[in-house]
Every structure is written in C-alpha cells, then in structure tokens.
Amino acid sequence: MDELYREAGTTLLEEPDSSMELMDTHREDEDHIRKIKEFQDYLQMVKIMIKPGCSEEVLKVALNSMSSLVGILAFMSYPKHRSSL
C-alpha cells in the first residue's frame, strides 16, 4: 500500500500543474495590460505637448514619429508579413 501511495505521489508531482499555467497566463495578461497603459500614458504626453502654440519643430517631429510608428505597425499587422518577422 505504501508503494502505491509513493508511486501516485511521484506521478502527481511530475505532472504539469494547471494552476501554475493559469498563474503564468494571468501574469502575462497583467504584463500586457501594464504595457498598454504605458503606451496610453505616452500618447497622453504627446497630446499634452502638441497643442496650438507648440513650435513648428516639435510638431514636425511628432508628425514624423507618429507617421513612422503607424507605418511600422500597419506593416507588422499585415498577416503576410507577420510570419516572416
């Protein structure tokens, strides 16, 4: 009987723990949400800086940067190119 218990215990310890997988998924979700919040904070900073009266140079840099970012994200979102990254 002790041998059966020992074998069952070993088997249970060796199998992947689904609660650990759930915790990992939860951490990944939290990290993803944190990064989205960080992105939104940066976007809000840009909105604050780019207002009527800002310098032409600041506006030009913001437009060029946003244009580049949108172009890169559009390229990465296109399914044909996603697999090659």
Side-chain angles (χ1 to χ4, degrees):
M1 176 98 169
D2 287 337
E3 201 172 297
L4 180 62
Y5 179 76
R6 227 179 285 128
E7 287 176 17
T10 303
T11 303
L12 288 174
L13 290 175
E14 290 174 2
E15 290 182 14
D17 187 1
S18 63
S19 65
M20 291 300 287
E21 290 174 18
L22 284 174
M23 287 174 46
D24 288 343
T25 301
H26 182 70
R27 279 191 208 113
E28 289 172 7
D29 290 346
E30 284 180 338
D31 187 48
H32 189 74
I33 290 169
R34 182 186 54 76
K35 288 176 182 175
I36 289 172
K37 174 72 173 120
E38 182 180 4
F39 172 79
Q40 291 171 338
D41 290 344
Y42 280 121
L43 190 56
Q44 186 61 34
M45 282 191 260
V46 171
K47 288 179 179 181
I48 290 169
M49 290 179 208
I50 307 302
K51 292 204 177 213
C54 71
S55 75
E56 188 68 29
E57 183 180 19
V58 169
L59 180 58
K60 185 177 179 180
V61 168
L63 282 172
N64 286 335
S65 298
M66 294 300 272
S67 176
S68 295
L69 177 61
V70 168
I72 291 166
L73 294 176
F75 177 80
M76 290 177 70
S77 297
Y78 191 69
K80 182 179 178 181
H81 297 290
R82 178 179 272 171
S83 63
S84 68
L85 295 179

